[in-house]
Amino acid sequence: MLTASSESWERRLGVELGKSVVYQEANRETRVDVKESVRGQDIFIIQTIPRDVNTAIMELLIMAYALKTSCAKNIIGVIPYFPYSKQCKMRKRGSIVCKLLASMLAKAGLTHIITMDLHQKEIQGFFSFPVDNLRASPFLIQYIQEEIPDYRNAIIVAKSPSAAKRAQSYAERLRLGLAVIHGEAQCSESDMADGRHSPPSSRTTTGHTGLELPLMMAKEKPPITVVGDVGGRIAIIVDDIIDDVEDFVAAAEILKERGAYKIYIMATHGLLSAEAPRLIEESAIDEVVVTNTVPHEVQKLQCPKIKTVDVSMILAEAIRRIHNGESMAYLFRNIAVDD
């Protein structure tokens, strides 16, 4: 049985959506009512993540726990975009929130997750149950081949060195060249401090001198450069998430200055928060292509440059295979580690 709000799943899988009601009471508490028996069944909870991320997470947790206490056999979460996936590394005195969310989902009763293009593939290790991390790259590559005229004259661009592996994978599959933007305009996650800057105590004790650590020189990014020739080419920037678009807009301007005559951005998850649609519309970017893992209908109305690629087909097939106990290998055929 499926628990969701989209009728497209009924059409693709030939099953009816489960009968349930999710609502908020006057005091903003989330309440879930399951309207039919789920005892001994495989239940798939389809939860896309809208603007209100935390409310969506609470709905998922409460729904999973309600199904668990109703004796469902397996509870599988279908979460195309996994929230808090960027918070998967320790930052100073912060926390690894993604690990916390994984533990909460397990405690609530989930036994399996289907998601797409996790921000870091190592996130799968946070879970105590199976995770199927599907890929959107075949759909985006197909879009490039079918919808971008003269794509053979294109070059794949990584907007930062940390995105070079993903860009290289696209370039090799499309038999295209590769360029990397490096310099002060990009802000790689790896450059962010993840240690603690509290200095050691200078007080000394009997028979022990103060601790003296080697001084590490501060990083200084070089002037922005483009490694690779983009002159007279179509530049295609690839990434997994496009949210705050300032970095992409800056990259597009640099590529235009270097001679690229058309600029596309390809990403799996189009969060497009805040002023993203307006900034894209006013920028040198010609087109932003994202999948429908996150709802962005309002943003498309605000910016006609935003295009959508449908990936519901592979998610529906994953649901069918898991329910029937079939191998998932077909969905990962020809998928490389860096995809």
Side-chain angles (χ1 to χ4, degrees), residues 169-191:
S169 177
Y170 275 73
E172 290 174 351
R173 293 183 185 282
L174 291 164
R175 302 341 186 234
L176 299 176
L178 175 66
V180 179
I181 298 176
H182 177 59
E184 60 186 9
Q186 61 91 18
C187 181
S188 171
E189 287 189 9
S190 61
D191 291 335

Side-chain angles (χ1 to χ4, degrees), residues 80-89 91 98 115-124 133 162 166 189 239-242 269:
Y81 167 66
F82 194 80
Y84 287 98
S85 59
K86 282 191 173 183
Q87 298 190 47
C88 61
K89 296 179 181 179
R91 303 294 185 206
C98 194
T115 187
M116 180 166 281
D117 280 341
L118 288 169
H119 185 57
Q120 298 287 343
K121 297 173 183 64
E122 293 79 6
I123 289 173
Q124 296 175 79
N133 182 28
S162 61
R166 182 185 300 271
E189 287 189 9
D239 213 335
D240 61 328
I241 299 173
I242 176 169
H269 309 296

Side-chain angles (χ1 to χ4, degrees), residues 224-237:
I224 192 164
T225 57
V226 179
V227 181
D229 182 16
V230 299
R233 313 285 286 276
I234 301 171
I236 303 175
I237 304 174

Side-chain angles (χ1 to χ4, degrees), residues 76-316:
I76 300 95
V78 183
I79 314 171
Y81 167 66
F82 194 80
Y84 287 98
S85 59
K86 282 191 173 183
Q87 298 190 47
C88 61
K89 296 179 181 179
M90 180 64 74
R91 303 294 185 206
K92 295 185 180 179
R93 293 175 179 83
S95 60
I96 305 177
V97 182
C98 194
K99 167 63 174 173
L100 171 63
L101 181 55
S103 301
M104 291 167 64
L105 292 172
K107 191 68 175 178
L110 263 69
T111 58
H112 198 138
I113 277 183
I114 303 170
T115 187
M116 180 166 281
D117 280 341
L118 288 169
H119 185 57
Q120 298 287 343
K121 297 173 183 64
E122 293 79 6
I123 289 173
Q124 296 175 79
F126 292 163
F127 294 87
S128 57
F129 50 78
V131 176
D132 284 309
N133 182 28
L134 303 176
R135 306 293 198 274
S137 53
F139 297 90
L140 296 175
I141 288 173
Q142 183 181 32
Y143 184 94
I144 292 172
Q145 293 172 324
E146 296 179 356
E147 302 296 333
I148 297 181
D150 195 23
Y151 84 91
R152 291 291 183 188
N153 188 38
I155 186 169
I156 304 298
V157 180
K159 73 176 180 66
S160 67
S162 61
K165 284 188 176 181
R166 182 185 300 271
Q168 181 181 359
S169 177
Y170 275 73
E172 290 174 351
R173 293 183 185 282
L174 291 164
R175 302 341 186 234
L176 299 176
L178 175 66
V180 179
I181 298 176
H182 177 59
E184 60 186 9
Q186 61 91 18
C187 181
S188 171
E189 287 189 9
S190 61
D191 291 335
M192 299 174 65
D194 60 0
R196 292 159 175 79
H197 298 293
S198 301
S201 174
S202 60
R203 293 176 298 177
T204 60
T205 59
T206 303
H208 187 271
T209 58
L211 180 64
E212 295 183 3
L213 297 176
L215 180 63
M216 178 70 77
M217 294 181 62
K219 286 187 177 182
E220 183 177 342
K221 294 184 180 180
I224 192 164
T225 57
V226 179
V227 181
D229 182 16
V230 299
R233 313 285 286 276
I234 301 171
I236 303 175
I237 304 174
V238 298
D239 213 335
D240 61 328
I241 299 173
I242 176 169
D243 189 3
D244 299 324
V245 299
E246 286 84 356
D247 286 351
F248 291 94
V249 171
E253 292 175 357
I254 293 297
L255 294 171
K256 279 286 187 183
E257 291 175 5
R258 297 295 195 276
Y261 70 90
K262 228 172 186 184
I263 298 169
Y264 291 80
I265 295 176
M266 316 289 293
T268 303
H269 309 296
L271 305 186
L272 302 169
S273 302
E275 296 296 312
R278 179 183 62 80
L279 294 174
I280 292 171
E281 186 66 25
E282 297 172 356
S283 72
I285 299 169
D286 292 282
E287 196 167 284
V288 173
V289 183
V290 294
T291 72
N292 55 346
T293 55
V294 178
H296 52 264
E297 287 78 10
V298 174
Q299 288 86 341
K300 288 182 69 174
L301 293 175
Q302 297 171 342
C303 177
K305 291 182 180 180
I306 300 172
K307 308 297 181 184
T308 306
V309 175
D310 182 22
V311 293
S312 61
M313 177 194 310
I314 192 171
L315 291 166

